[in-house]
Structures are given as structure tokens and as C-alpha cells.
């Protein structure tokens, strides 16, 4: 087998092995581990130049040693190192997001009857409480509904009086039972008609108290006052005094702005990472970015026909009212728990080899570790969070591509030689 003595070790194991007092045990475990590559002055089985093919099998945190031809060659390549930043990061998905009103707290105010606008009490931007008058409409239908109720109510009162009279007479056996039955039926019919007329006014938006007032005052005016169904801010107004308000037409929109919605467009390859309940952090605006955070409350079950994106929705706090509908920006969906040993590096520091990520850690002027790492988060622009490197280590952040190219050259020269 080619793998005799080819076991690559992580930095700690190597340190332990080379300084261990218990060398008998170490050498009995891995035969040939102590052999030195004379040419590159590193342990034979971890010489990346002589055994580049071993790089593929490295696990996260494991490494090969790569000695460049000379320190001159290194300085010529312009390699620069830096210590990675300790990452305060969680794995996440970066998506496009747009702010919209929370439609669970948005009311469209539309008249149920057509009429002429007589008064407008509020304007865009104004705060209203639930029940506040927004607009008054003059409508013939309102007048006829009120008139119908008033006259039916008068009729029912008469029938009720008649009913009571028949009961008295029946008690004294003056009139027949049949007369009483007829009177009672008429009474019930009249009461039913009143209820229907009352319901019609309720449907038109009148409250019970308003209906009582109409009856008491015999008010058959054609005026209807439309009130705010919820507390919030007027975000839309399409009502002008004197104009005709049509049914089904929005006169106002009232929105509770204490929370907003974020529409998140998730690309298909990220779709299965996103779930309801995940936290979202979004930022908007160029100057002094506006931040928003909240939780995903809904994920679509199908992709957008045109966009080919999966839409998810997050409800975000807007107590300071800085978010505005239509704002556009990026959002980070936190898809997993924070990794305590993750560090952050410039994205260029991480190089791909056989589709796996590696970095170069500086050991000496011309000696580097080719370290296998694991990419943890790529959501930040030009930054990447990885595991497999300690914050105290010097990693090539400029020229990593050149370093990888040098390493790949050695791979062309050396085959996998059996030991
Ligand atoms: Zn070598």
C-alpha cells in the first residue's frame, strides 16, 4: 500500500510527537515517522513537496509541510501573512431582502357603499387609534337603510302593542285564541324585519351604539363615518372632499409600523438550509446602515415562477420607525449555532485544491503548512469563517494563490512513490 507512513498529522500531534519523552510508544505506533526528508528538512511523511498527493486526504486541521525553494522566492512572490480574527459568527445564508408592511397589521379602508366624500379627518403620516373617525361619506344608500330601520322599528312597536292588547283580551276570554296567534305572528315578523334592517347598518359599518342613536334621534341622514379598525399610521390616502368614493376602492391604508415584514429571496441551492424560526439580521441604506433583526415566520412551498427564488418572510422589530416599506438590502439568515473555534480570514486566504479548502500557515521564512480547513460561513463580503486554524497562527492572506500554484507545480513533478 502507498499509505505506509503516509499518515498526516495535525500540528498538535506533531508537536507532541517531536517533543515527547515517550518516544518508544510513538515510534511503535507509526513506523517510519521519524524519517527526515533530507531535501526539504521536514519529516518525510509530512513533506508536501515530496508527497503532494497526501493533501487530498487531509482532514480539517491536518497539514503537510511545504518548503519553498528559497526565502528569495518567497519574498519575490510577495506573500503576506496575518493572524486570523476570532470569529463571532454563526453559519448563515446571505440573501436579498425587501421591507414591506406587516400585512397582519395593515388595514385597507374601503367604503361598502358608494358615496360622495364630505369630510376627510386624517392625512398620510398621521397616527390614529382604533375607532378614530377617518372620513365621512354621503350616500343615498345609507339614508335608505336608516329610513328602513326607523320605519320598521315604528311598525314593530305597533305590532308589539297590538300583541299585548290581544293577550289581555284573551285572558279575559273576550277574543279568540286565533286572534292572539295572528297578532303574535305579526309581532315576530316585525321584530325580525327590524333585526334585518339593523344588520344591514352593522354591515355598512355602523356600531350598535350608533344604531341606537339613529333610532332615538330618528336620524335618517345620508352620512356615514368610517373609522380606523386598528391603531397605527396612515400610510396611504386616496380620499378628496367632493369626489365619489367607490366600493372596493382603497380610501386609506392604516399600518401598525411597530413591526415590518422582510421578504427574503433565497436561491435554490440555499433553500433547504432555511426554516421557520431562524433569526435574520438585515441592513439597509448606504449612509449609516439601518439594521433590522427578527425571525422567519413563513417559508413559501414553491419557487417564484419568474425569479426562481424561494420567498421567505421574517417579521422584524421597527420600534424606532427607521424601516420603510420598499427598502432594499441584504439579510443574513442564521442557519446554525455559533462555532466556538471558528476564525475569520480574508476570502482570498482560502485556496481550493481538489474542491477542498486549504490555507498556508507560516512556520519559517520559507516553510509553510498546507492546512486543510473547513469553511464555516461565507455570507460576509470578502470574508470567510473557517475552522482548522488558531487565532495565534500566521496565515498567508496575500499571495495564497501564488503559494498554491507553487505547491501544485511540485505535484506535477512528484508522483505518489511507494515507500
Ligand atoms: Zn521532501
Amino acid at each position: 500500500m502507498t499509505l505506509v507512513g503516509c499518515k498526516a498529522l495535525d500540528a498538535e500531534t506533531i508537536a507532541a510527537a517531536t517533543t515527547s519523552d515517550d518516544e518508544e510508544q510513538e515510534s511503535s505506533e507509526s513506523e517510519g515517522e521519524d524519517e527526515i526528508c533530507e531535501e526539504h528538512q521536514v519529516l518525510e511523511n509530512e513533506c508536501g513537496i515530496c508527497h503532494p498527493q497526501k493533501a487530498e486526504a487531509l482532514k480539517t486541521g491536518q497539514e503537510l509541510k511545504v518548503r519553498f525553494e528559497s526565502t528569495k522566492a518567497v519574498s519575490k512572490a510577495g506573500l503576506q501573512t496575518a493572524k486570523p480574527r476570532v470569529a463571532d459568527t454563526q453559519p448563515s445564508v446571505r440573501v436579498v431582502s425587501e421591507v414591506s408592511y406587516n400585512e397582519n397589521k395593515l388595514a385597507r379602508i374601503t367604503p361598502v357603499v358608494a358615496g360622495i366624500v364630505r369630510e376627510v379627518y386624517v392625512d398620510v403620516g398621521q397616527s390614529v387609534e382604533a375607532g378614530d373617525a377617518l372620513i365621512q361619506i354621503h350616500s343615498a344608500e345609507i339614508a335608505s337603510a336608516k329610513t328602513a330601520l326607523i320605519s320598521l322599528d315604528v311598525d314593530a312597536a305597533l305590532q308589539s302593542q297590538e300583541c299585548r292588547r290581544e293577550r289581555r283580551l284573551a285572558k279575559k276570554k273576550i277574543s279568540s285564541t286565533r286572534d292572539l296567534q295572528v297578532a303574535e305572528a305579526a309581532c315576530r315578523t316585525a321584530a325580525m324585519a327590524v333585526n334585518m334592517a339593523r344588520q344591514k347598518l352593522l354591515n355598512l359599518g355602523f356600531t350598535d351604539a350608533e344604531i341606537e342613536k339613529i333610532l332615538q334621534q330618528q336620524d335618517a341622514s345620508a352620512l356615514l363615518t368610517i373609522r380606523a379598525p386598528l391603531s397605527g399610521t396612515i400610510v396611504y390616502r386616496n380620499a378628496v372632499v367632493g369626489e365619489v368614493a367607490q366600493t372596493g376602492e382603497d380610501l386609506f391604508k392604516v399600518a401598525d409600523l411597530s413591526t415590518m415584514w422582510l421578504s427574503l429571496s433565497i436561491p435554490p441551492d440555499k433553500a433547504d438550509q432555511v426554516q421557520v424560526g431562524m433569526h435574520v439580521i438585515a441592513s439597509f441604506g448606504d449612509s449609516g446602515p439601518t439594521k433590522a433583526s427578527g425571525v422567519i415566520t413563513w417559508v413559501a412551498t414553491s419557487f417564484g415562477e419568474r425569479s426562481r427564488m424561494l420567498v421567505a418572510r421574517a417579521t422584524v422589530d421597527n420600534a424606532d420607525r427607521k424601516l420603510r416599506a420598499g427598502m432594499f438590502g441584504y439579510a443574513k439568515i442564521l442557519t446554525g449555532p455559533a462555532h466556538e473555534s471558528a476564525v475569520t480570514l480574508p476570502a482570498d486566504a482560502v485556496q481550493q485544491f481538489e474542491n477542498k479548502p486549504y490555507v498556508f500557515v507560516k512556520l519559517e521564512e520559507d516553510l509553510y503548512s498546507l492546512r486543510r480547513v473547513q469553511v464555516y460561513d461565507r455570507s460576509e463580503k470578502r470574508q470567510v469563517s473557517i475552522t482548522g486554524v488558531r487565532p495565534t497562527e500566521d496565515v498567508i492572506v496575500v499571495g495564497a494563490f501564488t503559494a498554491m500554484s507553487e505547491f501544485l507545480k511540485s505535484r506535477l513533478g512528484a508522483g505518489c512513490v511507494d515507500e
Side-chain angles (χ1 to χ4, degrees):
M1 283 296 288
T2 57
L3 286 177
V4 175
C6 278
K7 193 180 121 205
L9 299 167
D10 69 37
E12 271 169 336
T13 316
I14 292 157
T18 49
T19 59
S20 175
D21 297 329
D22 202 3
E23 287 192 347
E24 277 177 17
Q25 199 190 343
E26 289 294 334
S27 57
S28 65
E29 269 182 7
S30 320
E31 209 181 317
E33 197 170 271
D34 298 347
E35 280 178 42
I36 302 286
C37 166
E38 295 293 338
E39 192 186 349
H40 301 111
Q41 289 300 301
V42 292
L43 287 174
E44 176 66 38
N45 64 6
E46 57 182 19
C47 180
I49 303 292
C50 294
H51 307 289
Q53 77 284 356
K54 287 186 183 177
E56 272 181 74
L58 296 178
K59 295 202 174 69
T60 303
Q62 293 182 330
E63 63 188 17
L64 291 177
K65 300 279 173 21
V66 176
R67 192 176 294 277
F68 290 105
E69 273 181 50
S70 66
T71 48
K72 213 173 153 192
V74 173
S75 61
K76 205 175 150 193
L79 305 182
Q80 286 175 29
T81 62
K83 291 190 188 346
R85 205 156 47 77
V86 175
D88 181 20
T89 181
Q90 283 180 254
S92 59
V93 171
R94 190 166 183 263
V95 298
V96 170
S97 76
E98 190 180 355
V99 179
S100 63
Y101 295 117
N102 180 342
E103 288 189 22
N104 289 333
K105 294 187 173 179
L106 174 74
R108 295 171 207 281
I109 285 88
T110 171
V112 283
V113 288
I116 295 161
V117 176
R118 277 291 167 84
E119 299 256 18
V120 178
Y121 302 115
V122 291
D123 203 353
V124 171
Q126 205 169 318
S127 293
V128 292
E129 296 292 325
D132 281 359
L134 303 179
I135 191 172
Q136 197 178 54
I137 287 176
H138 183 277
S139 163
E141 201 175 325
I142 296 294
S144 70
K146 284 181 180 177
T147 308
L149 175 68
I150 294 165
S151 76
L152 287 166
D153 188 62
V154 170
D155 185 44
L158 263 173
Q159 293 296 343
S160 170
Q161 218 177 332
E162 180 64 18
C163 214
R164 282 198 298 276
R165 198 179 71 90
E166 283 297 336
R167 274 194 208 112
R168 275 201 308 275
L169 295 176
K171 235 179 184 176
K172 294 176 186 166
K173 311 242 192 260
I174 296 171
S175 72
S176 69
T177 318
R178 200 190 124 70
D179 286 346
L180 176 59
Q181 282 169 345
V182 169
E184 279 180 338
C187 198
R188 278 200 296 276
T189 308
M192 219 147 53
V194 170
N195 272 341
M196 283 168 72
R198 184 184 285 268
Q199 188 59 52
K200 174 145 196 204
L201 283 173
L202 286 171
N203 292 346
L204 289 172
F206 289 91
T207 64
D208 281 316
E210 284 169 334
I211 293 169
E212 286 315 313
K213 216 168 158 191
I214 290 166
L215 289 170
Q216 272 169 26
Q217 301 177 351
Q218 306 267 298
D219 161 34
S221 79
L223 296 177
L224 168 69
T225 301
I226 300 178
R227 297 175 186 281
L230 54 81
S231 300
T233 304
I234 305 290
V235 294
Y236 173 85
R237 170 190 157 174
N238 180 33
V240 177
V241 172
E243 280 191 357
V244 175
Q246 298 289 358
T247 56
E249 202 174 77
D250 288 344
L251 294 176
F252 297 99
K253 286 180 191 169
V254 181
D256 177 351
L257 302 178
S258 62
T259 58
M260 298 288 265
W261 275 355
L262 286 187
S263 286
L264 308 164
S265 299
I266 301 154
D269 60 329
K270 305 277 167 55
D272 54 358
Q273 296 180 42
V274 177
Q275 284 171 18
V276 168
M278 283 177 171
H279 279 265
V280 177
I281 300 166
S283 50
F284 304 94
D286 300 329
S287 54
T290 306
K291 293 263 182 192
S293 70
V295 169
I296 293 183
T297 50
W298 173 80
V299 179
T301 49
S302 60
F303 285 91
E305 242 171 63
R306 283 183 153 195
S307 66
R308 306 309 308 154
M309 295 280 188
L310 188 71
V311 175
R313 185 190 298 145
T315 305
V316 293
D317 184 72
N318 188 34
D320 56 7
R321 302 291 191 271
K322 283 192 175 159
L323 295 177
R324 290 167 192 280
M327 273 182 163
F328 212 70
Y330 284 99
K332 233 163 88 166
I333 302 170
L334 304 178
T335 53
H339 197 298
E340 55 185 20
S341 60
V343 294
T344 301
L345 280 169
D348 290 345
V350 178
Q351 293 293 314
Q352 297 289 320
F353 171 65
E354 301 289 342
N355 288 323
K356 288 169 187 162
Y358 296 82
V359 299
F360 288 92
V361 178
K362 186 176 183 180
L363 304 173
E364 294 166 21
E365 271 314 303
D366 61 346
L367 182 65
Y368 290 80
S369 290
L370 175 67
R371 179 84 54 82
R372 171 84 154 87
V373 294
Q374 188 170 359
V375 173
Y376 189 58
D377 182 21
R378 243 183 225 289
S379 62
E380 290 293 325
K381 244 187 195 170
R382 293 186 286 276
Q383 293 279 309
V384 61
S385 291
I386 59 168
T387 55
V389 176
R390 281 182 287 276
T392 49
E393 293 182 302
D394 292 305
V395 180
I396 296 183
V397 290
V398 174
F401 179 78
T402 314
M404 182 56 92
S405 307
E406 284 299 314
F407 168 70
L408 292 178
K409 269 190 220 162
S410 69
R411 187 172 170 243
L412 293 175
C416 182
V417 185
D418 282 16
E419 285 177 42

